[in-house]
């Protein structure tokens, strides 16, 4: 991995990593820079298996440069943070293995605790380019990667393209990336987003920002998991849960808005 100074982070598709002195070089996630753009968020009219809360389909414009984890956060990265002094609980791997398996059994509040530690260690706390969870709109934009079909793979998805209908997680990056260079956007684990859940997209932000409504405490998850069938892996599929409940099919990946000096 080149040093941060050797990578043009503004270039869409650039892969880079911040680092923390004193802990393993790969303790922080690899990030992929995504291009600004516009897309249609939500299920297309007539999309098979779509639910009421997948509608209405609406245009979203993301005018800023941001980056997303190339893969979901792994157990190794979580455990490295704990070993480096982060006040995180040791998440249960269900006996499936740690290392390159996606982190599971963490709730939304756990994700926020990890992000707070990363920002404190990197000096990003309180900055507009701090590490964070992606908004739901950013997540779907990244998952679609310029595509408009049910999945980024087209009208269908198969067991050679994603991990689903299985008995456990699999190592991150086991399948080919999408056109933005991101792995595991369909299947393996559901991923926490920043947003509050709402019953439909009426009045949803159209600028890529997260919808936050403290009257609705449940938080959004995206992507589908090892536990699900293909209908839950759709680019428009949504799930939600209480922010203090952890499941063995839910983890997260990190995001960052890039600052002017990086763009």
């Amino acid at each position: 991995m080149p040093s941060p100074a050797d990578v043009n982070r503004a270039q869409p598709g650039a892969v880079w990593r911040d680092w923390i002195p004193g802990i393993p070089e790969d303790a922080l996630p690899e990030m992929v820079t995504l291009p600004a753009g516009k897309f249609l968020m939500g299920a297309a009219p007539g999309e098979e298996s779509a639910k009421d809360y997948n509608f209405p389909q609406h245009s979203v414009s993301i005018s800023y440069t941001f980056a997303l984890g190339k893969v979901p956060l792994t157990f190794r990265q979580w455990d490295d943070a704990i070993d480096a002094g982060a006040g995180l609980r040791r998440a249960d791997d269900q006996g499936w293995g740690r290392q390159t398996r996606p982190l599971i059994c963490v709730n939304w509040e756990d994700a926020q605790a990890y992000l707070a530690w990363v920002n404190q260690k990197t000096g990003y706390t309180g900055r507009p380019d701090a590490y964070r969870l992606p908004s739901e709109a950013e997540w779907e934009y990244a998952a679609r990667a310029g595509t408009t079909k049910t999945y980024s793979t087209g009208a269908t998805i198969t067991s050679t393209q994603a991990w689903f209908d299985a008995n456990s997680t699999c190592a991150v990056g086991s399948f080919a990336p999408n056109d933005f260079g991101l792995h595991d956007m369909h299947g393996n684990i559901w991923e926490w987003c920043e947003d509050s859940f709402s019953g439909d997209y009426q009045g949803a932000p159209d600028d890529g920002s997260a919808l936050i409504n403290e009257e609705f405490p449940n938080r959004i998850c995206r992507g589908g998991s090892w536990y699900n069938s293909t209908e839950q892996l759709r680019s428009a599929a949504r799930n939600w849960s209480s922010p203090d409940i952890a499941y063995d099919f839910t983890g997260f990946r990190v995001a960052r808005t890039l600052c002017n000096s990086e763009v």
Side-chain angles (χ1 to χ4, degrees), residues 102-122:
L103 177 69
I104 54 171
C105 297
V106 289
N107 59 36
W108 186 88
E109 293 171 350
D110 292 325
Q112 297 294 342
Y114 172 81
L115 293 164
W117 174 78
V118 170
N119 286 323
Q120 187 273 322
K121 297 295 287 186
T122 55

Side-chain angles (χ1 to χ4, degrees), residues 138-207:
E138 290 172 338
W139 195 98
E140 186 171 327
Y141 174 72
R144 290 188 179 278
T147 65
T148 59
K149 301 294 186 181
T150 304
Y151 309 92
S152 66
T153 55
T156 61
I157 196 165
T158 72
S159 59
T160 65
Q161 297 168 312
W163 190 249
F164 58 93
D165 277 342
N167 296 317
S168 68
T169 60
C170 71
V172 299
S174 295
F175 297 87
N178 69 13
D179 289 347
F180 280 169
L182 302 168
H183 297 265
D184 299 295
M185 298 300 287
H186 300 295
N188 211 358
I189 58 166
W190 288 99
E191 300 176 13
W192 289 110
C193 293
E194 188 67 29
D195 303 60
S196 306
F197 173 73
S198 60
D200 57 40
Y201 287 130
Q202 296 290 348
D206 62 3
D207 60 356

Side-chain angles (χ1 to χ4, degrees), residues 75 93-94 96-98 100-104 163 166-172 174 188-190 225-227 248-250:
F75 267 104
D93 65 11
Q94 302 293 295
W96 301 335
R98 303 179 82 80
T100 59
R101 296 270 183 153
L103 177 69
I104 54 171
W163 190 249
N167 296 317
S168 68
T169 60
C170 71
V172 299
S174 295
N188 211 358
I189 58 166
W190 288 99
S225 77
W226 61 267
Y227 178 79
D248 62 5
F249 46 76
T250 307

